[in-house]
Amino acid sequence: MKEDSGKNYLSRRFVAFIVAACAVIAALCAALWYLYASCGRGLVPAICATASIPIILILAKLFLIDPYRETERMLTLFSKGYSTEGISGLKWQMSEGVQDVVDRLADILLSDEAVNMSKRQAQYLAMQNQINPHFLYNTLEGIRGEALLNGSDDIAKMTETLSQFFRYTISNLETLVTLDSELANVRNYYIIQEYRFGDRLSLDIAFESEGDRAALQNAKVPKLILQPVVENAIIHGVEGLSVTGHVSIFIQYTGSRVILTVSDNGVGMSAEKLRELNDRMSNIYGRFGVGSGAGSGSEGGIALANVNNRIKLLFGEGYGIAIMSEEGAGTDVEITLPYITRYSDAEGIGP
Amino acid sequence: MRKEVFRADSVTCTRAGLKLLDNFSLHVFEGEVLGLFFADNRGKDEFVGLATENRAIDYGRVLFMDRQVNSYNAANSVRPGAAMRIGYVSRTEGLIGDMTVAENVFVMRRGFRKYIINKSVLTSQFAALAEEYGVSLDGSVYARDLSMADAYIIQALKAVVDGSALIIVRNACIEYGDPELTKFQQQVRRFAERGVSFIYISGDINVLTGVCDRVAAVEGGRVIRVVDRSEYTAEKLRRYHFSPGRMPVLPEAGTASMLRFDKVSFGSISKFDFSVSEGECVLLWDRMDRIRSDMRSLLSREAKPDSGEIRVRGAQISKSSGAAHISYIREVPTRSMIFSEMSCLDNLCIRAAERVPSLWMGSARRTVIRDEYRALIGDSIDADSPQGLPAESLYDLVYMREYIYNPRILVLERPFIETDIGLRMHIMSLIAMFKQRRTAILIIDSSTTDSAAVSDRMLIVGGSGITGERALGIEEGME
């Protein structure tokens, strides 16, 4: 732990300097008034010197103290893990040197390296490096062929679905995909899970209106944001149920935003766990798995944090994930994205 | 496509070290009625202040009509008050009673610059507006003569005329099941169909599910659940229902009359004739909420009745006697009956000092009080200031202060208003303590939902005085 070397803070020396300067001017004023009182001369200098104190204080407050406090507040928010956006565009910078350090820190946190360091991304890259996708697809196609020859249509269907799932997950390297393809991937994932759960699981995807469905046909969303959330809903919510688990995706469009709500009727989570999860979503250190903001976290929490992280890195802090849940009453995960139809639109939105 | 009217995104507000809004996220669509249920009352005032005054926030952002109007980054915020046209309907905002409805709507709004007011023009303008929004009211009626529902409707209409795209309704004090509430809520839906959005705040989940498209439950200063209309099931909402089966069992009342109103008339009070016995709890149900201030003036002896007599323990009430046996706890006492510049212990002793002036001389007697009441109030009794204490502790201070004073009669003015479920149970237990001591209790309330659960009898107040009386039991409290 660093020692408190507050006596070396320049801010304190700065304040002490202002106080000392005012004290000197006050002493000068007193001397001038004494001079005036004793020999009747020097009234104007005395008045000017006296008037200068409030003028200096007002100017100091407007041009030094208030800007300093605002910058200090933004730096404090950054150090507590609330925000990175504020420090990237500070209205008043402390000094050139300090700003260089802050900019460098922000670059490290917001760079492509940070995106690529998120665990799930690393996992997919590792899979891609270690597995020859064509070998995988050819093998699955072979299994499908054998299954069809033996009349096992169910196995053939599942193999085909698995192949499509892997093609989407591994092969496609784009950051943004259409909403339709993301939903198609979720449906494939559901079909695969249906083989395990049977009638105990249902999935429902609905748009608020047919007009929204048409308007969102070309909408672009980050790849692999829905399937991890649905997977989370199944594993942590629905799996423990003794009745049929329902997972639904409700899509709303506001003109400038796309809101995707993934709901389940599962076991929900306690208030404590919910708070921990939401805090991890909002804390920048938690999002990058750094320091005390990261927490120990369950795998489900890591998946959601990963999705949230990518959204915020791409589009800024105004978008991301919010989780609402109650123990025994299910969970809602609300994903807010900007409405864009081209990748270049995303560049205008981010931090 | 649904336009978003209001969005609070990860808003955090801290006051006196306590996070009142903690990562609070909410959005409202155009023409939507969104219910807000604050399970523990934390953050309610802060949220209303944020929406109506655009107060500074510690983190997050607020968007209105898709435009960012508030942000933790001061450089990205706009001037408070200039950004959002958000109306506010509540019991405290009110209308000007001596002006007509049309004058309240058109004259008392920003931007009105005329010096000469033509009443007939106003009335005809109001008629056209009322027809447009389906409001069946006469613009020439004085605001003081409006029913509660009509008053709220006019406040909402005034907000619409003022250009508000979003209106916050807070604790519209009309009881669930009352036709007045149905009338108000039907009007809210008519406004919503015309594209006006509402955030409806209430402590009664039944009130919210009757009118809202969605209900957001807030706990610990953050939204923990949003329930859509299609999901309004007992299972999803059971946690938010108040069950009178959990309230404490109250002892039976005695027969000695403590407080007697003998054909008393004063202001809105017309020939009140009733008595409250020792250990009895009587609810004076004033649906139109008209008699509170008059009752307060009479019982604190600031005014004398125009006719009739008020007797305390058989003797006529006066400022020196009678009134001294009465304790009066106003509505939301944590706002007006707590002295933030005094310590909690001093707050507790202030009333007892009226009987024992030497309480302020030395600390020995106050130390005895502190030790004796620590078990009831907890460690908050040692706090240097009541600021930042939870609501339960503040209510403890107010009620225990009167408990130490030991009045013969306790008068409670709307004791459950602006309280959440937990706090209501707590207040009921505090009332039960007075009943155990055989204190006569008179509750003046415009809602019976909670007050009836602690009362033995209910007196129904109408235009011509007390129009009815009902005996109450535990089961009756929920009707």
Side-chain angles (χ1 to χ4, degrees):
Chain A
M1 194 179 223
K2 289 179 187 170
E3 280 181 25
D4 182 12
S5 53
K7 62 181 181 220
N8 289 330
Y9 289 164
L10 286 174
S11 59
R12 295 191 186 184
R13 293 190 173 198
F14 169 66
V15 169
F17 175 78
I18 290 184
V19 170
C22 288
V24 166
I25 296 173
L28 180 64
C29 291
L32 285 170
W33 280 110
Y34 177 75
L35 185 67
Y36 171 69
S38 56
C39 33
R41 293 164 75 173
L43 175 64
V44 171
I47 292 172
C48 290
T50 308
S52 70
I53 295 179
I55 290 171
I56 287 171
L57 287 172
I58 290 168
L59 289 175
K61 184 174 189 314
L62 286 175
F63 294 107
L64 288 174
I65 296 171
D66 285 349
Y68 166 77
R69 288 174 78 182
E70 176 59 25
T71 302
E72 180 74 3
R73 191 174 74 85
M74 298 309 298
L75 291 175
T76 305
L77 283 174
F78 173 66
S79 72
K80 283 185 179 170
Y82 277 104
S83 166
T84 57
E85 274 182 14
I87 58 161
S88 318
L90 283 171
K91 202 171 169 186
W92 299 280
Q93 288 117 27
M94 289 289 189
S95 70
E96 195 177 336
V98 168
Q99 192 57 36
D100 282 345
V101 170
V102 166
D103 287 343
R104 180 72 187 114
L105 206 54
D107 282 344
I108 290 169
L109 287 174
L110 299 174
S111 68
D112 288 340
E113 292 169 16
V115 174
N116 292 334
M117 276 169 61
S118 71
K119 289 183 184 179
R120 184 61 65 87
Q121 198 83 8
Q123 285 172 4
Y124 287 127
L125 282 172
M127 281 173 68
Q128 193 175 17
N129 289 335
Q130 292 165 17
I131 303 170
N132 182 341
H134 294 293
F135 170 73
L136 178 67
Y137 304 142
N138 289 339
T139 307
L140 286 170
E141 191 56 34
I143 295 170
R144 180 171 166 268
E146 277 297 317
L148 283 171
L149 281 173
N150 289 325
S152 304
D153 291 341
D154 285 349
I155 296 174
K157 175 76 183 156
M158 183 171 177
T159 313
E160 186 184 3
T161 306
L162 197 61
S163 178
Q164 286 170 352
F165 180 77
F166 280 133
R167 272 182 207 277
Y168 183 83
T169 306
I170 302 169
S171 295
N172 192 346
L173 297 176
E174 289 161 18
T175 307
L176 295 179
V177 297
T178 62
L179 178 62
D180 278 348
S181 54
E182 186 68 12
L183 291 173
N185 184 57
V186 169
R187 289 191 188 94
N188 280 339
Y189 176 76
Y190 167 69
I191 291 170
I192 296 166
Q193 289 287 16
E194 210 181 5
Y195 278 99
R196 181 183 158 202
F197 286 93
D199 290 341
R200 283 176 49 221
L201 180 66
S202 76
L203 172 71
D204 179 51
I205 299 174
F207 287 79
E208 185 153 36
S209 67
E210 276 308 308
D212 285 357
R213 186 194 293 270
L216 293 174
Q217 258 187 338
N218 297 321
K220 294 278 196 191
V221 300
K223 190 179 156 193
L224 288 171
I225 54 162
L226 276 176
Q227 181 265 325
V229 177
V230 170
E231 182 175 7
N232 215 49
I234 293 171
I235 294 172
H236 295 283
V238 162
E239 199 171 31
L241 281 182
S242 54
V243 296
T244 303
H246 299 292
V247 178
S248 67
I249 302 175
F250 187 58
I251 301 151
Q252 294 169 298
Y253 170 53
T254 73
S256 58
R257 288 172 189 257
V258 178
I259 303 170
L260 310 159
T261 307
V262 180
S263 306
D264 68 67
N265 67 333
V267 296
M269 59 182 92
S270 64
E272 195 56 46
K273 179 126 190 276
L274 179 64
R275 180 177 296 276
E276 189 192 306
L277 212 48
N278 273 316
D279 284 348
R280 191 191 303 158
M281 297 293 147
S282 54
N283 187 296
I284 54 169
Y285 302 120
R287 278 151 45 193
F288 292 104
V290 174
S292 58
S296 52
S298 61
E299 231 182 82
I302 292 170
L304 292 176
N306 180 285
V307 171
N308 183 56
N309 207 15
R310 281 189 291 128
I311 294 172
K312 287 191 184 301
L313 284 170
L314 277 170
F315 303 125
E317 290 171 355
Y319 305 94
I321 280 182
I323 305 168
M324 290 161 280
S325 182
E326 275 186 287
E327 209 152 14
T331 301
D332 298 326
V333 176
E334 190 178 272
I335 306 168
T336 306
L337 303 166
Y339 173 69
I340 53 171
T341 53
R342 294 172 302 181
Y343 184 77
S344 53
D345 293 343
E347 289 168 0
I349 293 169
Chain B
M1 182 178 93
R2 295 187 79 181
K3 255 175 66 179
E4 235 177 36
V5 166
F6 176 85
R7 174 175 274 267
D9 189 27
S10 301
V11 171
T12 299
C13 292
T14 309
R15 301 277 179 263
L18 183 70
K19 269 189 192 172
L20 297 170
L21 292 176
D22 184 7
N23 213 357
F24 183 93
S25 293
L26 189 77
H27 60 269
V28 186
F29 294 112
E30 188 180 36
E32 181 183 33
V33 183
L34 174 75
L36 271 191
F37 180 86
F38 286 82
D40 61 3
N41 235 27
R42 196 210 281 195
K44 195 194 292 188
D45 290 336
E46 198 62 32
F47 173 74
V48 172
L50 170 73
T52 55
E53 298 164 29
N54 205 16
R55 287 183 194 166
I57 55 179
D58 296 314
Y59 183 68
R61 51 192 56 74
V62 178
L63 291 91
F64 186 72
M65 308 298 281
D66 254 349
R67 195 172 131 249
Q68 185 166 289
V69 296
N70 199 344
S71 167
Y72 67 95
N73 190 343
N76 289 341
S77 297
V78 297
R79 185 168 53 88
M84 299 192 281
R85 285 285 180 100
I86 295 183
Y88 184 44
V89 172
S90 82
R91 187 189 45 80
T92 55
E93 287 304 295
L95 304 165
I96 298 177
D98 293 332
M99 293 176 85
T100 64
V101 164
E103 285 165 354
N104 268 284
V105 170
F106 290 113
V107 175
M108 301 309 300
R109 64 183 175 93
R110 75 183 114 187
F112 184 81
R113 291 194 176 83
K114 289 193 177 167
Y115 294 99
I116 299 170
I117 298 169
N118 189 324
K119 281 198 175 183
S120 59
V121 167
L122 281 185
T123 308
S124 61
Q125 273 183 341
F126 179 82
L129 183 72
E131 194 183 348
E132 187 186 341
Y133 285 97
V135 174
S136 51
L137 280 172
D138 183 359
S140 59
V141 167
Y142 280 95
R144 60 171 177 261
D145 298 326
L146 292 174
S147 69
M148 199 172 300
D150 289 338
Y152 287 128
I153 290 170
I154 296 303
Q155 282 185 57
L157 190 62
K158 194 173 150 188
V160 170
V161 166
D162 209 21
S164 301
L166 173 66
I167 298 174
I168 297 180
V169 176
R170 181 172 180 176
N171 292 329
C173 298
I174 315 171
E175 192 175 309
Y176 176 67
D178 190 329
E180 288 277 283
L181 180 69
T182 310
K183 183 181 177 185
F184 174 63
Q185 291 186 340
Q186 280 173 350
Q187 188 59 52
V188 165
R189 290 257 39 120
R190 280 197 281 270
F191 281 130
E193 281 160 21
R194 301 297 304 263
V196 181
S197 307
F198 285 83
I199 294 178
Y200 200 122
I201 302 174
S202 174
D204 188 341
I205 197 72
N206 293 313
V207 167
L208 293 176
T209 54
V211 68
C212 300
D213 299 302
R214 290 185 298 150
V215 174
V218 182
E219 193 168 19
R222 59 174 73 194
V223 176
I224 58 164
R225 202 71 215 263
V226 178
V227 183
D228 187 76
R229 175 179 285 279
S230 58
E231 299 171 305
Y232 287 167
T233 60
E235 190 195 331
K236 289 232 169 171
L237 299 172
R238 89 172 163 264
R239 203 178 149 238
Y240 308 118
H241 281 285
F242 178 57
S243 164
R246 292 176 286 155
M247 72 177 179
V249 176
L250 304 172
E252 295 214 353
T255 53
S257 171
M258 281 290 133
L259 175 68
R260 173 104 179 90
F261 268 59
D262 192 0
K263 295 187 181 55
V264 171
S265 292
F266 174 78
S268 308
I269 297 168
S270 173
K271 296 200 178 86
F272 273 25
D273 196 345
F274 68 91
S275 68
V276 184
S277 303
E278 185 185 41
E280 186 184 27
C281 184
V282 172
L283 167 62
L284 206 54
W285 181 34
D286 173 27
R287 216 178 70 173
M288 307 302 279
D289 193 30
R290 287 193 176 147
I291 67 168
R292 269 189 302 127
S293 57
D294 293 330
M295 287 293 286
R296 196 186 308 142
S297 302
L298 287 176
L299 290 170
S300 58
R301 212 56 194 146
E302 287 168 8
K304 289 184 186 178
D306 295 333
S307 64
E309 278 181 355
I310 301 172
R311 292 181 173 275
V312 174
R313 299 178 78 198
Q316 198 163 6
I317 191 172
S318 69
K319 206 148 188 142
S320 53
S321 73
H325 293 294
I326 301 175
S327 276
Y328 199 103
I329 297 181
R330 300 175 72 148
E331 59 172 4
V332 197
T334 53
R335 272 194 213 138
S336 55
M337 296 182 73
I338 297 275
F339 303 99
S340 56
E341 62 276 6
M342 295 170 74
S343 70
C344 287
L345 182 60
D346 288 347
N347 265 282
L348 200 60
C349 297
I350 197 167
R351 272 282 269 168
E354 289 177 29
R355 294 218 169 122
V356 185
S358 60
L359 203 59
W360 298 122
M361 299 180 196
S363 59
R365 289 190 184 190
R366 280 178 286 145
T367 304
V368 168
I369 291 176
R370 185 181 60 203
D371 294 340
E372 195 177 318
Y373 284 86
R374 185 189 295 279
L376 291 168
I377 295 175
D379 290 335
S380 57
I381 201 170
D382 296 320
D384 290 331
S385 165
Q387 271 186 359
L389 288 180
E392 279 88 355
S393 299
L394 295 176
Y395 272 86
D396 282 339
L397 272 184
V398 173
Y399 278 75
M400 288 299 107
R401 172 199 299 160
E402 303 304 328
Y403 191 78
I404 295 170
Y405 181 74
N406 194 15
R408 297 292 182 181
I409 300 154
L410 176 67
V411 183
L412 303 174
E413 197 181 282
R414 301 216 283 192
F416 301 101
I417 197 169
E418 294 189 24
T419 56
D420 58 74
I421 294 170
L423 194 50
R424 282 176 224 162
M425 290 300 301
H426 188 69
I427 292 169
M428 285 187 182
S429 65
L430 292 170
I431 294 171
M433 285 180 65
F434 282 90
K435 272 207 95 179
Q436 292 281 1
R437 220 188 221 187
R438 317 296 285 167
T439 308
I441 303 172
L442 177 67
I443 300 177
I444 305 166
D445 207 338
S446 52
S447 164
T448 63
T449 311
D450 300 305
S451 296
V454 293
S455 304
D456 302 302
R457 265 192 308 141
M458 179 167 72
L459 303 173
I460 304 162
V461 176
S464 57
I466 293 174
T467 57
E469 182 175 332
R470 277 172 66 183
L472 296 173
I474 292 177
E475 298 81 15
E476 295 246 19
M478 271 309 289
E479 286 182 24

